[in-house]
Amino acid sequence: MKSLQLLFESADQFWNTLEGSDFNIIHAGLDSEALCSRDKFNESVLGMTDNETKRLLYYYSIRHYNHVAQNIVNHIIVSLGDAYAALAVPNLYENVPLDLQLTGERETYRNTVSPLGCRIWTNLNFCIEKIVSFLDFSTKYITDLSNIKPGMTSWKSKASDVSFGKWKHVPLAKGTPLCELSDELRLIMSLRDETVHNGTIDHFSRVYEHASAGKVIRRFVLMPDYQRGRLLTAGGRKRFYSQDNHLNAILPDILSKIFTDTLTSLDQIDEKITPRWDDLKAYEERYPEIFAALKIAEEENVFMKFIPNDKK
């Protein structure tokens, strides 16, 4: 909402611009349902003389980064839930009963590379990679907000080459908790480098099982030794396991710390932006049926689909 207020002087100016715009042009390149070719988009933009429409293009460009970041969070939550649910199932080998597996009569540890175990690895690695992507897109979003100047007419997004490494240099982001790079954030970034460049955190995608008297007691995923958020290295190697770290045990706390710092940072950024519209009723009362549907969608936790047509 505040990004709209930075670009448009009033709610009426925004709604009037939106009503007179072409959905396919405004959403081209951002929405798969916008039926517009690259050539048509370029032709339309080059011939565009209305500064308000250019601002509208800019608004949807930066909102795209925000929506991507939010969608990544949803993916992380679903993947985490699936990984921990799989870790809790009685048997990772669906076609081989536990009593036929070589668990041994005494206390033993073994590793499994079953299909379900690989799915656990896939989900955990996905979460580690995507948390950094979430921070990248959040940085792009805040960077574009920082670039909004009063009376600007440019539509082009400025954050296409920005990543989280630029966060502390973004004007609106300076002084926020994410600038401090907590140990948890450093560790997740180190693990992300491992998953991207070496395939997995360990040499193999495996889940360890602790068994006793022929029954599985617990499962865990080993993670390399680390100190102050950095994986311990020596002689070009960084896969030491003397600490017996279990990724599945510490990952929730790591993510909780990162998301807490992110939310605090975004709240501080929000406080830095002064709202320009004194009364938001002019924004909501223009189309009360839309906001009524949005309220119901929020209460029911469902998506609302808006289908544009020629009718206002």
Side-chain angles (χ1 to χ4, degrees), residues 107-243:
E107 186 177 42
T108 59
Y109 290 87
R110 65 175 185 173
N111 67 74
T112 170
V113 289
S114 66
L116 193 53
C118 288
R119 194 173 90 190
I120 294 170
W121 262 101
T122 300
N123 282 323
L124 293 179
N125 278 268
F126 175 86
C127 293
I128 291 170
E129 293 174 21
K130 285 302 177 182
I131 188 64
V132 179
S133 296
F134 162 74
L135 294 173
D136 285 340
F137 278 97
S138 297
T139 305
K140 295 177 189 295
Y141 175 62
I142 301 304
T143 297
D144 271 348
L145 284 182
S146 297
N147 287 331
I148 296 178
K149 301 295 186 296
M152 69 177 298
T153 59
S154 173
W155 67 270
K156 189 175 182 180
S157 181
K158 305 293 184 182
S160 58
D161 60 344
V162 174
S163 62
F164 178 66
K166 303 287 183 65
W167 177 271
K168 63 181 178 181
H169 302 296
V170 178
L172 283 174
K174 289 182 178 179
T176 57
L178 282 180
C179 294
E180 300 176 5
L181 286 181
S182 64
D183 288 347
E184 290 84 357
L185 181 52
R186 291 181 188 276
L187 180 58
I188 209 70
M189 294 177 73
S190 296
L191 293 175
R192 180 262 180 190
D193 290 341
E194 283 295 291
T195 62
V196 169
H197 299 296
N198 295 324
T200 61
I201 306 165
D202 199 352
H203 293 291
F204 303 98
S205 302
R206 54 192 171 189
V207 176
Y208 288 87
E209 292 185 330
H210 176 200
S212 180
K215 294 183 179 180
V216 176
I217 300 175
R218 60 173 177 156
R219 297 188 180 94
F220 56 90
V221 177
L222 280 179
M223 191 184 76
D225 297 349
Y226 65 93
Q227 184 176 20
R228 299 185 63 182
R230 299 289 188 186
L231 298 183
L232 298 182
T233 64
R237 297 185 181 181
K238 51 183 176 181
R239 293 179 184 272
F240 303 94
Y241 295 91
S242 63
Q243 296 175 354

Side-chain angles (χ1 to χ4, degrees), residues 234-292:
R237 297 185 181 181
K238 51 183 176 181
R239 293 179 184 272
F240 303 94
Y241 295 91
S242 63
Q243 296 175 354
D244 193 29
N245 297 314
H246 296 176
L247 176 65
N248 51 298
I250 65 175
L251 185 58
D253 289 337
I254 293 176
L255 295 182
S256 176
K257 170 61 175 175
I258 294 174
F259 280 124
T260 298
D261 286 348
T262 301
L263 289 174
T264 302
S265 297
L266 293 176
D267 285 341
Q268 292 180 4
I269 290 171
D270 182 69
E271 293 175 357
K272 294 179 182 180
I273 303 175
T274 303
R276 297 175 63 191
W277 300 352
D278 296 330
D279 188 2
L280 290 180
K281 290 183 179 180
Y283 174 74
E284 296 180 357
E285 292 181 352
R286 180 79 167 251
Y287 293 103
E289 66 279 5
I290 291 181
F291 288 95

Side-chain angles (χ1 to χ4, degrees), residues 3 26-32 56-72 137-138 140-141 144 157:
S3 62
I26 297 299
H27 290 265
L30 305 177
D31 189 336
S32 57
L56 193 63
L57 281 170
Y58 190 88
Y59 165 70
Y60 279 104
S61 293
I62 63 176
R63 197 180 78 156
H64 170 70
Y65 292 137
N66 184 29
H67 283 185
V68 171
Q70 292 178 356
N71 199 36
I72 288 175
F137 278 97
S138 297
K140 295 177 189 295
Y141 175 62
D144 271 348
S157 181

